[in-house]
Amino acid sequence: MVYTWSCAKKYLSEKAFKSLSETIKNGGKLNPGIADEVAEAMKKWAISKGATHFTHWFQPLTGLTAEKHDSFNQLDGEGSVVQKFSGEALIQGEPDASSFPSGGLRPTFEARGYTGWDPTSPAFIKEGANSATLCIPTYFVGWKGEALDKKTPLLRSMKALSIQAERLAKLLGIKCTQKAYATLGGEQEYFLIDREFYYQRVDLLQTGRTLFGKEPAKHQQLADHYFGAIKSRVMAFMEDLDREMWKLGAPVTTRHNEVAPGQYEIAPIFENQNLAVDHNMLCMEVMQKVAERHGLACLLHEKPFAGVNGSGKHCNWSVTGPDGKNWLSPGDNPHENERFLVMLCAVIKAVDKYAGFLRAAIASAGNDHRLGSHEAPPAIISIYLGDQLMDIIEQIEKGGAKSAKQGGTLEVGVDSLPTLPRHASDRNRTSPFAFTGAKFEFRAVGSNQTLSGPNVVLNTIVADVLDEICTELEKTGKKDTDKAVQKILKNIIKEHKRVIFNGDNYTEEWVKEAKKRGLLNLKTTPEALKELKSKEAFEVFERQKVLNKTELQSRYDIYQETYETIIRYEADLAANMARTLIVPAAIEYANVLAENVKSVESITKGKSSSTRKLLKEVSGLTEDAISAAEKLESVAKGNDTVKTRKAMADLRGAVDSLEGLVPAEIWPLPSYAEMLFIS
Ligand code: ADP
Ligand code: MG
C-alpha cells in the first residue's frame, strides 16, 4: 500500500523517473515539466489499489494528523465522469484550514494555508471500509511560507544538521558520498483495555485518562507482566497491528508486554528521521483503529491510570554521516573514532547548553503526570554515558594524565578506542537521555506526543554546536586538525560534563545533586515552555533556519493555550462527574446504611455502632466531595492551572476514598482492577 521506488519505476517513463529520483535524493524542486506525469502515474497506481480519493496528509500544530479528501472524479462535459489527478494537485493543496491553531500567524481573514508535497516520504493508501484513499505526505505553511505544522521545522532542522555534518566531514578529511541525515527509531508504549469499560468512562472518552480511580490491591508490584506471555486477545491485536503497519511501509518489529498490567510496547527498525516520524504518527492512528476491531480501546495518554506506570515514547536518535556511516558508533580506527568523539561531545554540549529546549519539547499536560513520578525520568535533563565511555571522556578532559583503567592516555585522532559494549546489561533505565551503544535514547518523550518536536530540537541544537566546532576548526590549519579537535573536546567536557549522570535518576539525592550542579528542574509544562521564549531560543532556531522568532513565539502561544485548555476541561469534567455520578452513588449507599441503622436499632435493638461509623465516614466523604467539587468549579474559572490541579487532586482524594467504601455494584465507574486485568 506504499508507492515505493519500484512502483514509480513501473508507472513512469525513464526520463521522469530519473528526474524524480534526483529531486528526492538531492532535495530541491520537482521539475514542473514532469509533474503531470508523476501525478498521473501515482493516480493509476492508487486506482489499482481501489482508491477513489486523494488527500494531502499533514501534521498541524494540534499534534495530530489532518486530511481532507478529494475524489479523482471530474465531469467530462458530456454527461460522464473521468478520473484525473494533475501535477498541480499533487504538489500543492489549499485546504480550508482556518480552524487549525496558528498562534496568531494567520488571522482568519487571510486564513490561507498551503500544503506542499514532501516527496521524501512516500505516498500510501489508507483503506476504509468501502474504498481507499491515496495519502500524500505534505508540509503545511502559511502564504508567506511560515511554518504552521510539525513537518516543516523537522525538514528544516534535518537540513541544518546535514549541512553541519558535511562541513565537519570535510574538515576531518572524511569522504562524502551521500547526504547526511538523522536516523530515528521510536518505541511506543500503550495500554489496552476492554472497549466496554472505555465506553463506561466518560473521563477516558474525553480526556484519554481516568480522572478518578482507586489503586487496586495488586497492580505491578511483582513486575509479573513485563515481558510476560502475551494473552491471546492482545496477541491477535498485535498481529493485526503489525500487518497493518507493514502494509503502510512502517518497519515495526518488536512487541511485548510492558511493566504495568494492560501495558504494551511496539517498536520499529530505525529509519530516516522524517519517515520515522510519519510512521509513528500513522502507528498511533492505526493502533486505535485496530483496537476497535478487537473490542479493545488503545490508550496513548502518558498517564491513563494514577499509581501505575505511565507510557512514554523512546526517541532513539543518531546521525548517518555523509560517508554513509553511523556517527554515533565508535569505529575501528582512530579516524572514525575522532568523528565519533566529536559527535558525542557535540551532543553533550548541546544537551547541557539547551536542556531547557529539550524539556520544552516534551512538555504537555499529559507528560506532566508522568515525568518524575518514579517510573519515568525526572524533569531534569541529564545524560547517561556508562562507565567505559565516561572513562574515555575523563581521559580526554585530563589531556596528559594517565588512566588506570585504560593504562594510558587517549589522544584523539591518534589512538583507537577500546571496544565499547553495545548491549551492556547494566544499562541505566532511569536516565532521560542515555547513550545506548550506537545512538542516544531520549526517554522522556510522552506516549501521546509526536516525535517531531523533540527531534526538531535535537537536530537544531546539535547542528548549532557542530556549527561552532566547525567554525573553530576552520581557523586552524589542516595539519593541526587533530590537536585542535583534542582541545575543543577537552574544553567541551570541562564545561559541560555536569550534565552527565550515570547514577539512579529516580532518587531524591539526584534531585539535590542536580540542583547543586545548576541543572534545570522544570516540573510543569508552563515552566518548561517558557524556555522557548528566551532570547537564546530565538537566536538558535533562527541561526539554524529552523524557526524564526514569530514562528517560535506562535508555537509557544499554542502549546501554552493547549495546556490551559486541557487543565480547564479536565477540571470541569471532574467536577461534573463528581456531582452527577459519584455523589449520587455515595448518597444512595448512605441512605441504605441509615435505613439499616434505624431498623437494626428499632426492630432488633441490636448493635449498630460500626455501621453508624461507616455511615459517618461515607457521609463525611460525600460532604468532602461536594465541597471539593464546588471549590474546583470556582478555582477553574480563575484559570490558575496550579491551583486548579491542586483542587482536582483534593476532589480525587475524597472520591477515591469513597470508591473503597461504596458497594461495587452501585459504583458508577469500572474499577482499575477491572480495566487493567480483564483483556
Ligand atoms: P532497546 O532499547 O529496547 O534495547 P534497541 O537498542 O535494539 O532496543 O533499539 C531500540 C530502538 O532504537 C529501535 O527502534 C531501533 O531501531 C533503534 N535504533 C537502533 N539503532 C539506531 C540508530 N542508529 N539510529 C536511530 N535509532 C536506532
Ligand atoms: Mg528504549
Side-chain angles (χ1 to χ4, degrees):
M1 291 296 164
V2 182
Y3 191 64
T4 56
W5 288 95
S6 61
C7 295
K9 199 164 194 171
K10 187 171 151 201
Y11 285 92
L12 284 173
S13 68
E14 217 181 297
K15 192 177 136 234
F17 178 73
K18 217 175 138 215
S19 167
L20 178 65
S21 11
E22 297 281 304
T23 309
I24 294 175
K25 273 189 191 127
N26 305 324
K29 287 236 173 331
L30 184 73
N31 170 5
I34 63 156
D36 281 334
E37 190 187 334
V38 170
E40 192 60 24
M42 212 184 257
K43 181 203 77 186
K44 265 198 199 132
W45 169 80
I47 289 176
S48 80
K49 299 281 178 194
T52 54
H53 289 65
F54 71 93
T55 182
H56 279 193
W57 183 75
F58 59 107
Q59 298 166 27
L61 292 169
T62 52
L64 306 167
T65 58
E67 50 192 75
K68 181 205 163 203
H69 302 187
D70 278 295
S71 80
F72 291 121
N73 290 346
Q74 278 179 22
L75 300 178
D76 72 349
E78 293 173 9
S80 209
V81 157
V82 283
Q83 268 90 43
K84 283 246 160 78
F85 187 41
S86 68
E88 213 184 320
L90 164 67
I91 293 170
Q92 197 181 72
E94 193 196 328
D96 177 18
S98 50
S99 296
F100 289 116
S102 76
L105 272 180
R106 197 172 36 113
T108 21
F109 63 83
E110 48 173 52
R112 282 162 193 244
Y114 297 95
T115 48
W117 183 31
D118 167 17
T120 59
S121 183
F124 56 91
I125 302 269
K126 258 197 208 178
E127 295 171 283
N130 302 309
S131 74
T133 305
L134 168 67
C135 297
I136 299 151
T138 53
Y139 54 84
F140 179 47
V141 294
W143 68 286
K144 283 187 203 147
E146 57 282 31
L148 297 174
D149 68 344
K150 301 266 185 183
K151 191 189 263 282
T152 307
L154 181 71
L155 294 174
R156 291 182 189 158
S157 70
M158 287 178 74
K159 188 171 173 191
L161 186 63
S162 171
I163 290 172
Q164 298 308 329
E166 268 164 51
R167 209 171 140 207
L168 181 67
K170 287 196 184 112
L171 285 160
L172 296 184
I174 296 167
K175 211 168 130 207
C176 299
T177 53
Q178 60 170 74
K179 266 186 117 58
Y181 60 94
T183 51
L184 169 64
E187 300 164 74
Q188 175 76 49
E189 292 177 335
Y190 60 96
F191 279 87
L192 288 177
I193 64 167
D194 190 285
R195 207 162 179 88
E196 287 303 315
F197 296 139
Y198 179 66
Y199 289 138
Q200 288 167 35
R201 300 247 0 180
V202 62
D203 46 2
L204 278 180
L205 275 169
Q206 293 216 304
T207 71
R209 74 182 182 104
T210 55
L211 299 176
F212 303 109
K214 194 177 167 332
E215 199 174 276
K218 175 183 189 283
H219 43 95
Q220 61 185 55
Q221 298 97 322
L222 302 177
D224 49 355
H225 191 254
Y226 191 53
F227 282 11
I230 300 166
K231 285 188 193 162
S232 45
R233 186 173 173 202
V234 172
M235 191 61 199
F237 160 85
M238 287 178 168
E239 288 161 347
D240 212 0
L241 173 60
D242 282 348
R243 195 159 26 236
E244 292 296 333
M245 291 313 294
W246 292 336
K247 276 197 210 167
L248 292 168
V252 293
T253 188
T254 64
R255 53 192 190 200
H256 64 82
N257 285 3
E258 259 299 330
V259 175
Q263 193 186 27
Y264 311 91
E265 185 186 293
I266 179 168
I269 299 170
F270 71 93
E271 302 175 88
N272 169 300
Q273 198 178 40
N274 182 35
L275 273 181
V277 170
D278 283 359
H279 283 155
N280 180 252
M281 293 307 290
L282 276 175
C283 189
M284 290 197 283
E285 186 185 318
V286 171
M287 289 164 92
Q288 326 247 1
K289 275 195 202 150
V290 173
E292 194 173 350
R293 246 187 252 160
H294 291 261
L296 298 162
C298 174
L299 309 179
L300 288 172
H301 194 281
E302 284 78 10
K303 195 79 176 177
F305 305 100
V308 297
N309 273 14
S311 299
K313 174 147 32 198
H314 292 179
C315 162
N316 293 274
W317 177 94
S318 188
V319 176
T320 295
D323 53 355
K325 298 209 169 141
N326 179 355
W327 277 19
L328 279 177
S329 185
D332 305 322
N333 57 56
H335 210 57
E336 289 182 353
N337 287 329
E338 186 171 40
R339 58 131 169 79
F340 164 69
L341 290 169
V342 173
M343 266 313 282
L344 185 76
C345 289
V347 174
I348 292 172
K349 177 168 179 181
V351 172
D352 182 40
K353 199 166 167 196
Y354 305 120
F357 305 171
L358 278 173
R359 174 64 186 92
I362 51 155
S364 75
N367 218 14
D368 276 4
H369 293 288
R370 173 178 162 262
L371 293 179
S373 67
H374 289 273
E375 88 277 341
I380 307 161
I381 304 286
S382 67
I383 297 179
Y384 167 83
L385 287 185
D387 288 346
Q388 268 183 294
L389 204 47
M390 193 63 202
D391 180 40
I392 291 166
I393 288 293
E394 275 165 355
Q395 283 187 65
I396 298 173
E397 186 195 6
K398 281 185 198 128
K402 293 271 178 234
S403 154
K405 265 196 195 161
Q406 283 317 130
T409 304
L410 186 82
E411 216 176 297
V412 177
V414 178
D415 294 334
S416 278
L417 294 180
T419 326
L420 295 170
R422 285 244 163 147
H423 286 280
S425 54
D426 63 345
R427 271 192 314 182
N428 188 329
R429 308 301 300 180
T430 68
S431 175
F433 201 93
F435 181 75
T436 47
K439 64 194 194 282
F440 272 102
E441 184 169 347
F442 189 20
R443 302 202 187 100
V445 186
S447 49
N448 216 354
Q449 295 178 310
T450 148
L451 278 165
S452 176
N455 281 283
V456 167
V457 171
L458 263 173
N459 295 347
T460 308
I461 60 179
V462 173
D464 202 58
V465 172
L466 288 176
D467 192 353
E468 282 173 26
I469 294 175
C470 291
T471 306
E472 189 77 28
L473 286 176
E474 276 159 2
K475 289 185 204 146
T476 43
K478 266 232 142 53
K479 269 201 342 281
D480 301 319
T481 305
D482 287 350
K483 266 211 188 93
V485 167
Q486 175 114 10
K487 196 173 137 215
I488 289 170
L489 300 190
K490 186 175 163 175
N491 288 338
I492 288 181
I493 295 163
K494 236 193 202 120
E495 222 176 300
H496 300 285
K497 72 167 180 203
R498 64 171 188 164
V499 77
I500 302 169
F501 179 64
N502 294 314
D504 183 351
N505 290 64
Y506 292 178
T507 61
E508 251 331 287
E509 289 83 76
W510 168 232
V511 177
K512 280 188 208 135
E513 166 69 18
K515 196 171 172 193
K516 247 196 256 157
R517 294 190 192 182
L519 301 181
L520 291 173
N521 185 2
L522 307 169
K523 292 201 181 107
T524 64
T525 293
E527 290 168 85
L529 287 179
K530 282 211 183 83
E531 296 292 312
L532 295 182
K533 279 215 305 191
S534 64
K535 185 164 165 280
E536 202 173 34
F538 292 139
E539 281 170 7
V540 174
F541 284 94
E542 202 149 77
R543 187 158 57 231
Q544 295 307 323
K545 300 193 171 62
V546 175
L547 289 166
N548 65 32
K549 188 172 172 182
T550 332
E551 289 170 324
L552 193 56
Q553 172 78 41
S554 73
R555 266 151 225 264
Y556 168 84
D557 292 342
I558 291 166
Y559 301 154
Q560 176 63 23
E561 194 186 323
T562 303
Y563 174 78
E564 285 167 16
T565 307
I566 290 173
I567 302 287
R568 179 64 202 263
Y569 69 60
E570 283 191 349
D572 289 347
L573 180 59
N576 182 269
M577 285 173 75
R579 285 189 184 280
T580 62
L581 293 168
I582 312 294
V583 168
I587 289 177
E588 192 183 327
Y589 183 44
N591 285 341
V592 171
L593 292 173
E595 279 304 313
N596 179 265
V597 170
K598 256 197 272 170
S599 50
V600 168
E601 290 181 0
S602 64
I603 300 169
T604 68
K605 307 276 179 265
K607 222 174 87 181
S608 66
S609 58
S610 293
T611 317
R612 271 174 184 271
K613 200 174 137 217
L614 178 58
L615 172 58
K616 238 181 163 167
E617 212 178 331
V618 172
S619 315
L621 285 167
T622 307
E623 283 290 308
D624 291 350
I626 297 170
S627 69
E630 237 165 59
K631 169 111 188 278
L632 178 58
E633 281 159 346
S634 82
V635 167
K637 284 199 190 99
N639 272 336
D640 180 329
T641 52
V642 176
K643 281 193 186 143
T644 305
R645 286 185 59 178
K646 164 86 177 50
M648 274 182 84
D650 290 345
L651 172 60
R652 181 171 188 147
V655 170
D656 290 357
S657 303
L658 277 171
E659 190 182 346
L661 300 174
V662 175
E665 59 185 37
I666 60 167
W667 190 254
L669 299 168
S671 71
Y672 271 27
E674 289 169 304
M675 288 187 285
L676 291 170
F677 286 92
I678 301 178
S679 61

